[in-house]
Amino acid sequence: MAHLVWSADLDTGIAEIDRQHQRIAEYINTLYNLRSSPDRQALSQVIADTADYTESHFVFEENLLEQAGYTFLGPHKKVHALFIRRIVSIQERFEAGEDVADELHKLLSRWLFSHIRTEDHAYTPTVKEYLNRVDAAQRQGAADAETRHIDYEKLFPGLEHRMQKKGWLARLFGR
């Protein structure tokens, strides 16, 4: 398996979700570049960063789905939880000295695109409708009609506290 290449069929049409998915793909490509590296410290760091960012993305996505009233939130969360368990298991094996970089890269590569095309595309209409309502309400209340972005930090009060990870929200939003 080679570098992941983003294609239009992966876009959900939800800008923040698409940006986060693309960032996860970048982490996976970095893992691909380091998979044969003798530098276990660099490999360890990219594995940890990939796992941390992916988990942060899941929390963001699940909160968005909850706010939007997505009917299948429960099953979606279970898929995320199972995936995180698999990643943690592989990460533990790596820390025990096993060479798992190729296995992890293959798992992440296959899973990401499959998950986006199936589970994530399923929630897209519900979330878009919700975000359009939020955007309209924000524009209606804003003095400046040019305000056209969703303020996710205001939209999810207490989200940062729920994660309990130093700086995760900043990493999630690329700050």
Side-chain angles (χ1 to χ4, degrees):
M1 209 165 244
H3 274 124
L4 298 180
V5 177
W6 197 263
S7 58
D9 70 312
L10 296 167
D11 287 333
T12 63
I14 303 165
E16 183 59 30
I17 294 293
D18 292 338
R19 189 189 67 73
Q20 291 176 19
H21 286 159
Q22 290 171 14
R23 181 108 182 247
I24 293 169
E26 289 171 12
Y27 277 116
I28 295 169
N29 285 335
T30 302
L31 176 62
Y32 177 81
N33 293 340
L34 290 173
R35 75 193 189 293
S36 300
S37 172
D39 186 352
R40 283 190 60 84
Q41 181 59 36
L43 193 52
S44 176
Q45 188 62 53
V46 76
I47 290 171
D49 289 348
T50 303
D52 182 53
Y53 189 85
T54 301
E55 188 171 359
S56 297
H57 164 70
F58 287 167
V59 169
F60 175 85
E61 186 176 89
E62 289 167 6
N63 276 274
L64 182 58
L65 296 179
E66 184 178 343
Q67 292 289 325
Y70 182 56
T71 305
F72 300 106
L73 174 61
H76 199 89
K77 285 174 127 176
K78 286 181 183 175
V79 169
H80 286 171
L82 288 170
F83 183 73
I84 290 295
R85 277 195 288 243
R86 289 179 73 189
I87 297 301
V88 167
S89 172
I90 292 172
Q91 198 171 8
E92 288 170 351
R93 289 174 35 219
F94 174 80
E95 290 167 4
E98 240 183 280
D99 181 8
V100 297
D102 281 333
E103 176 187 354
L104 181 58
H105 178 264
K106 286 176 188 171
L107 170 69
L108 289 169
S109 299
R110 280 190 228 122
W111 191 87
L112 178 66
F113 286 0
S114 173
H115 182 74
I116 291 170
R117 287 180 177 124
T118 56
E119 285 91 356
D120 289 356
H121 278 192
Y123 70 62
T124 298
T126 302
V127 171
K128 281 182 172 181
E129 180 182 320
Y130 168 71
L131 292 176
N132 285 336
R133 287 192 318 266
V134 168
D135 185 46
Q138 285 179 351
R139 280 185 289 131
Q140 189 174 31
D144 180 7
E146 294 298 313
T147 304
R148 294 230 12 131
H149 73 283
I150 304 295
D151 188 342
Y152 290 102
E153 292 175 50
K154 284 184 182 175
L155 193 58
F156 304 127
L159 181 60
E160 185 172 5
H161 177 71
R162 289 166 106 174
M163 273 303 286
Q164 299 285 321
K165 287 189 177 183
K166 183 180 178 192
W168 79 271
L169 191 60
R171 286 193 306 277
L172 184 64
F173 288 105
R175 295 187 186 129

